[in-house]
Amino acid sequence: MNKKPMTVHEVVNLTGITARTLHYYDEIGLLKPSIVTEARYRLYTEEDLIRLQEILFFREVGFALKEIKKLLDAPHYNRSEALERHLSILEAQKERIDAIIALIKNEINGGKKSCFYCFFAI
């Protein structure tokens, strides 16, 4: 990874999130840049980007920002364990999506009609 601190613009280009999102994360204390210049430019270090990655992982699986902050700031937080949990959640979501895709393909191809809404009740 790049050792030189990155500007907001560079982080936006790298991650695809908006500058407003980065500013908001700073405002609520979720992701404070390690460096703020005299001109008030925010600069993000490699550690900051790792935290941002963790935030984005948690967001992807549906955690609220307050929950994410609480988890990441907990003294017992373990990145490896968190990544394993993310993987389990994403694999379960993938299985569910694969099942929905198969159901829809079956319907499109005139297969046996099934209770589409029943699937979602599971």
Side-chain angles (χ1 to χ4, degrees):
M1 184 168 297
N2 187 0
K3 299 292 182 194
K4 178 181 155 268
M6 297 177 77
T7 65
V8 168
H9 180 73
E10 290 169 326
V11 174
V12 164
N13 287 338
L14 177 69
T15 64
I17 65 172
T18 65
R20 178 65 195 122
T21 297
L22 280 176
H23 292 172
Y24 182 66
Y25 288 176
D26 181 11
E27 188 179 307
I28 64 172
L30 181 59
L31 178 66
K32 293 260 182 212
S34 291
I35 303 165
V36 178
T37 67
E38 287 183 24
R40 301 186 40 90
Y41 285 107
R42 294 168 172 91
L43 298 176
Y44 295 88
T45 64
E46 187 172 353
E47 277 186 20
D48 297 332
L49 296 177
I50 289 169
R51 183 170 171 108
L52 176 58
Q53 181 184 52
E54 292 172 334
I55 293 165
L56 296 176
F57 284 154
F58 278 115
R59 292 294 291 153
E60 183 63 33
V61 295
F63 281 77
L65 294 177
K66 284 182 182 180
E67 293 173 303
I68 296 170
K69 183 174 180 348
K70 190 175 181 179
L71 286 167
L72 293 178
D73 291 344
H76 60 277
Y77 177 74
N78 182 308
R79 179 171 160 70
S80 295
E81 287 176 13
L83 289 172
E84 286 179 26
R85 280 183 294 213
H86 288 314
L87 183 59
S88 295
I89 292 168
L90 290 170
E91 285 174 341
Q93 288 176 344
K94 180 183 180 294
E95 286 176 23
R96 185 166 174 82
I97 290 169
D98 286 345
I100 295 169
I101 289 169
L103 179 65
I104 291 170
K105 284 182 178 180
N106 184 51
E107 292 287 329
I108 289 171
N109 294 326
K112 178 184 169 203
K113 300 294 181 211
S114 53
C115 178
F116 187 76
Y117 294 106
C118 296
F119 178 82
F120 290 101
I122 297 174

